[in-house]
Amino acid sequence: MKVDVLLGLQWGDEGKGKVVDVLTPEYDVITRFQGGPNAGHTLEFGDVKHVLHNIPSGIFHGDKINIVGNGVVLDPITFKEELDALKEKGFDITKNLYISKKAHLILPTHRILDAASEASKGKTKIGSTLKGIGPTYMDKTGRNGLRVGDILSNFDEKYEALKKKHLQLLGMYNFEYDIEEYEKGLFESIEALRSLNLIDSEHEINRYIRNGKKVLAEGAQGTMLDIDFGSYPYVTSSNTVTAGACIGMGIAPNRIGEVYGIFKAYCTRVGSGPFPSELFDETGEELRKAGHEFGATTGRPRRCGWIDLVALKYAVMINGVTQLIMTKSDVLSGFETIKIAVAYKIGDEIVEEFPFELPDNLEPVYKEIPGWNKDLTNVMSEDEFPEELKDYISYLEKELNVPVSIVSVGPGREQTIVRK
Ligand code: GDP
Ligand code: IMO
Ligand code: MG
C-alpha cells in the first residue's frame, strides 16, 4: 500500500486539519511528519471547535492509529496541555496515539532562545510563533538535541547538560527571562510523556504499509514556509514538502501515492516576509473578516490577499501534487470580481517562474474574473455551484494541470464537496 500525503501549498493555514479529519475514515493510520506546536489545525464538528497543535488530525476517529513521526518536534509541556484539554472535553485519546522515540524535544530554553533571537532581530524578525521550533531543529542538525527516547533514562542529567549550553548561548543576547516561568510543568509533563505509547515509528509505519493498511501523512505549515523552497529566511525550520514526509516518517520515496495539495481560494500569511499578492486595502480587510483570518496558534491577524498562481505552480511542482483541494471558497462569495496573480513584474521584467527572491519592487500581474453572489455554505454538490465558481476552478485546473478533487465551502465536516 502507498502512503498518501496532504500538505499546504501556500503559507500555512490552508485548512489541512479540517480536510484530514474529513478524509480519515478512508485511512487506517494518520501521521504528522514535521513541524511542531507552531501548527494550529482547526476541526469543527458537532458545534465544537478543536485546535490541534502536535497531535494528528485523525485523532477524533477512535478506531484510527495516529502517529507523531520522527520528523516532528514536540514540546512535552504544551503536548500535555493539549492532551489535558482534549481529556476535559471527553476525549481520552492516549490509546490510539503513538509517538516516535526519534522526535526531538522542545525544551524551555529552546523557547527562550527563540524569543531572544527574534527580539535581537528587531524589524527583520521572522514573526516566529515563539514555540521554540527554530532552536530545536538547530540542535537536531547541530547534533546536540534530545529526543523523546531520551526521557526513558537519565533525562534530568541530559536536560541539565543541554540547558547549561543554552544558558551560555543566551548570554550573547541582551534578553531578560525568568527561567522558572518557562520551566513550569516540565518534569510533570516528561512523566506524562513517559506513560504514552513511545515507539520506533519508522518500523511501525513500514509494517502498516506492508500489511496493506492505508496511511495518510498530514503536513504542517505550507510549501512557501519550507526551509529550502519557501521565502527564505522568512520560513519555518523544517521541510514541509512531500519529500519531508519520507524523511519525517522513514518511508522510501517510492512509497508515496496520492499527494493532496491544499490551498485557499485566496491567500493568507501570518508572520513577516514577502507576500506578493497581499492586499492592504478594504478588500484585504473584507477577506480577513469574512474568512475569520486570525491565527489558530497565536491569534495574530493573518495578512490577506488574492491567490498567487506563480507560487502555486511552484508548490505543485516541488510536491508532485496529484490532486488539489480548494478551501474557503465560501469566503469569496459576494466579491464582484476576483483577482488571480498570474505573473510578477520585477522592474521591467515579467516573471512567471517563482524567483530566488521576492524583492520589494515586485508587483503582481493580475487576471480579473467575475465573482459570484451565491452563499455556498449550504451547497451539497458541485451541480449547485454558480457558473463563475465553476469557471474559476476550471481555470485553476488548466493552469496548474492538476484536478481539483475537493472543494471546501465552510469549516464543518459536511461542508466538503467531493467532485466527480
Ligand atoms: P490548518 O493550519 O491548515 O489546519 O488551517 P487552520 O485551522 O489554521 O485555519 C483554517 C481555518 O479556516 C480554520 O478556522 C478552519 O475552521 C477554517 N476553514 C477550513 N475550511 C474552511 C472553508 O472551506 N470555509 C471556511 N469559511 N472556513 C474554513
Ligand atoms: P499550520 O500548520 C501559518 C509561520 C510563522 C512565522 C514562520 C516561522 O497551522 O499551517 P516558526 O514558529 O515555525 O519558527 O515560525 O512560520 N508559521 C505558520 N504560519 N501556519 C502555520 O502552521 C505556521 N507555522 C509557522 O508565523 O512566519
Ligand atoms: Mg493553522
Side-chain angles (χ1 to χ4, degrees):
M1 216 63 192
K2 300 268 186 185
V3 174
D4 296 342
V5 184
L6 184 147
L7 44 73
L9 299 181
Q10 296 164 320
W11 276 280
D13 303 329
E14 297 90 348
K16 298 176 289 294
K18 172 202 150 153
V19 179
V20 167
D21 171 56
V22 169
L23 293 179
T24 294
E26 294 175 27
Y27 291 89
D28 302 295
V29 183
I30 312 297
T31 65
R32 278 275 306 268
F33 59 86
Q34 47 68 234
N38 48 348
H41 295 182
T42 315
L43 291 74
E44 282 190 40
F45 53 85
D47 287 336
V48 190
K49 186 167 151 175
H50 305 275
V51 182
L52 297 171
H53 300 287
N54 240 318
I55 296 173
S57 299
I59 203 67
F60 294 105
H61 299 261
D63 54 337
K64 308 293 178 183
I65 306 287
N66 283 260
I67 301 179
V68 176
N70 58 278
V72 171
V73 288
L74 184 150
D75 183 334
I77 300 177
T78 55
F79 198 75
K80 180 170 185 297
E81 282 169 5
E82 200 171 333
L83 285 176
D84 290 348
L86 286 171
K87 202 167 181 185
E88 215 160 278
K89 287 182 180 171
F91 298 97
D92 187 358
I93 52 152
T94 49
K95 268 203 219 73
N96 54 336
L97 180 65
Y98 295 80
I99 301 156
S100 170
K101 283 193 233 161
K102 289 196 169 75
H104 275 247
L105 289 173
I106 303 176
L107 300 172
T109 38
H110 286 127
R111 280 185 284 123
I112 306 175
L113 282 164
D114 205 0
S117 165
E118 283 285 80
S120 75
K121 286 189 163 146
K123 266 211 215 123
T124 61
K125 71 173 183 181
I126 308 295
S128 152
T129 59
L130 303 181
K131 301 293 177 190
I133 305 295
T136 305
Y137 278 115
M138 281 164 73
D139 266 348
K140 175 178 177 174
T141 51
R143 296 155 297 177
N144 294 312
L146 290 184
R147 301 181 293 176
V148 167
D150 283 314
I151 67 170
L152 299 174
S153 64
N154 307 330
F155 172 74
D156 298 12
E157 246 170 70
K158 296 172 197 165
Y159 171 63
E160 288 304 325
L162 188 52
K163 176 176 156 185
K164 202 168 144 198
K165 271 193 201 169
H166 288 165
L167 294 181
Q168 274 170 357
L169 279 176
L170 279 164
M172 288 185 345
Y173 295 99
N174 182 15
F175 185 78
E176 280 185 28
Y177 55 90
D178 177 353
I179 182 93
E180 282 174 18
E181 195 52 42
Y182 278 88
E183 279 181 324
K184 227 180 236 168
L186 175 66
F187 292 99
E188 295 94 293
S189 69
I190 291 290
E191 209 46 58
L193 188 55
R194 226 176 255 140
S195 70
L196 299 178
N197 304 307
L198 310 182
I199 59 166
D200 295 310
S201 58
E202 66 278 31
H203 289 296
E204 286 292 316
I205 292 168
N206 281 287
R207 199 168 295 128
Y208 284 124
I209 298 171
R210 278 200 305 277
N211 292 340
K213 301 287 183 204
K214 287 192 77 184
V215 181
L216 177 66
E218 170 183 5
Q221 291 78 57
T223 303
M224 303 318 294
L225 289 169
D226 180 88
I227 182 74
D228 281 270
F229 301 105
S231 47
Y232 193 86
Y234 297 99
V235 294
T236 190
S237 299
S238 66
N239 283 116
T240 60
V241 297
T242 307
C246 295
I247 296 295
M249 295 163 64
I251 56 165
N254 62 5
R255 293 290 183 204
I256 300 289
E258 295 295 323
V259 178
Y260 295 103
I262 185 165
F263 65 99
K264 280 180 190 170
Y266 48 100
C267 194
T268 64
R269 169 162 209 174
V270 60
S272 330
F275 178 2
S277 57
E278 181 168 12
L279 292 166
F280 299 94
D281 58 4
E282 267 170 36
T283 311
E285 198 52 51
E286 270 175 63
L287 282 171
R288 186 172 308 112
K289 236 169 108 186
H292 305 288
E293 294 296 355
F294 295 89
T297 295
T298 57
R300 292 178 291 180
R302 294 178 183 145
R303 300 154 65 191
C304 297
W306 296 118
I307 203 161
D308 180 345
L309 266 186
V310 183
L312 270 184
K313 281 180 183 170
Y314 184 67
V316 165
M317 173 183 82
I318 297 288
N319 290 301
V321 173
T322 61
Q323 295 189 45
L324 289 164
I325 299 173
M326 182 164 93
T327 60
K328 302 204 116 168
S329 318
D330 54 304
V331 174
L332 284 187
S333 294
F335 286 86
E336 203 165 310
T337 59
I338 291 166
K339 289 188 184 175
I340 304 167
V342 292
Y344 300 152
K345 186 167 181 288
I346 304 177
D348 293 333
E349 219 187 325
I350 298 290
V351 175
E352 289 183 35
E353 247 181 32
F354 194 76
F356 172 68
E357 279 182 318
L358 301 169
D360 287 343
N361 67 345
L362 183 155
E363 287 172 36
V365 178
Y366 286 115
K367 174 184 165 74
E368 200 160 350
I369 60 162
W372 56 88
N373 231 327
K374 182 179 167 128
D375 173 17
L376 300 177
T377 52
N378 294 312
V379 158
M380 301 300 286
S381 93
E382 71 172 311
D383 304 336
E384 297 171 53
F385 284 172
E387 284 309 312
E388 295 83 354
L389 171 59
K390 287 184 188 163
D391 291 346
Y392 186 39
I393 295 171
S394 301
Y395 177 75
L396 295 175
E397 286 183 319
K398 184 172 84 39
E399 288 296 311
L400 298 170
N401 205 16
V402 182
V404 173
S405 56
I406 297 176
V407 178
S408 173
V409 294
R413 274 178 177 167
E414 65 295 347
Q415 292 171 304
T416 314
I417 313 293
V418 178
R419 295 180 77 217
K420 292 164 241 158

